[in-house]
Amino acid sequence: MAIRSQSEGKVWGLCRMPFWQSSGAGAAGGGSSSNNSSVSLTHHQHPTSHGSGRGSLGNGLAMQQKGSGSSSVSSVARSLLPTRRRLRLDPATKLYFPYEPGKQVQSAVRIKNTSKSHVAFKFQTTAPKSCFMRPPGAVLSPGESIIATVFKFVEHPENDEKQDQKSKVKFKIVSLKVNEPMEYVPELFDEQKDQVAVEQILRVVFLDVDRPSPQLEKLKRLLAEAEAALETRKKPPEDTGPRIASEGLVIDEWKERRERYLARQQVEGVVDSV
């Protein structure tokens, strides 16, 4: 019985040993797997944290680049915007001339200062030998306007070509802001070149004098106004005070008073002699 019990115990022990070892191995394996998983998890977590750091850094750089890009785009957009004009022209972009070959013809443009300061303007042309302006420039006070007359010699077409409605000649009007009223001198634009602004480039367009058109009628009105203004400027200003002679003597009412006094003295002398 003792032998049997011992043999059974050995068998039981033998039977238990594999399960215990397997379970132990499994436990050990499980522990190692858990450790491995924890290690692997730890190893996986570190790249994630580094990746998030790099991602935030990349996002910051992207935002900075976006901000700088937007600022550069806005600066480019501002540069593309048209500059604010100081003058308003009528006509705005063209100079109309009657087409009369072999003659000197005229055009006109009304120039108005729309700014809040005094502005000097000047004409420029690509054909200074055959074109000139009157006046070539001026200083306008705020709200003041002037009609400038442009003269051009029209040449005969070569080989009896058909009339060309457009000409290659161009006119440019430049402006300069001045601080106070002053007399116009062309040197103003040479002294302050960085402050000079191009107001408009005017193209030459010829009109058929035998065909009525709104542009031709408007041109006639502008030329008539310009001529009337020129005649007004030619007239001497009316004298409101006493007239002064070249020697500095007053020759108006004081002269009349002296003449009346002398006449009265002559009459009294005649009466006394009688």
Side-chain angles (χ1 to χ4, degrees), residues 86-87 112-121 138-144 175-184 188-189 192 195 199:
R86 306 182 181 111
L87 305 175
K112 183 176 182 179
N113 180 7
T114 57
S115 68
K116 297 181 180 180
S117 61
H118 289 76
V119 174
F121 75 88
V139 176
L140 300 178
S141 59
E144 184 182 1
S175 68
L176 175 66
K177 179 181 176 181
V178 294
N179 296 326
E180 58 186 10
M182 61 179 62
E183 185 178 356
Y184 169 79
L188 284 173
F189 294 85
Q192 306 180 41
Q195 302 296 327
E199 289 291 334

Side-chain angles (χ1 to χ4, degrees), residues 124-127 167-172 201-204:
Q124 294 178 346
T125 179
T126 57
S167 173
K168 295 181 180 180
V169 178
K170 297 179 182 179
F171 293 86
K172 181 168 64 175
I201 296 178
L202 303 173
R203 299 181 180 275
V204 173

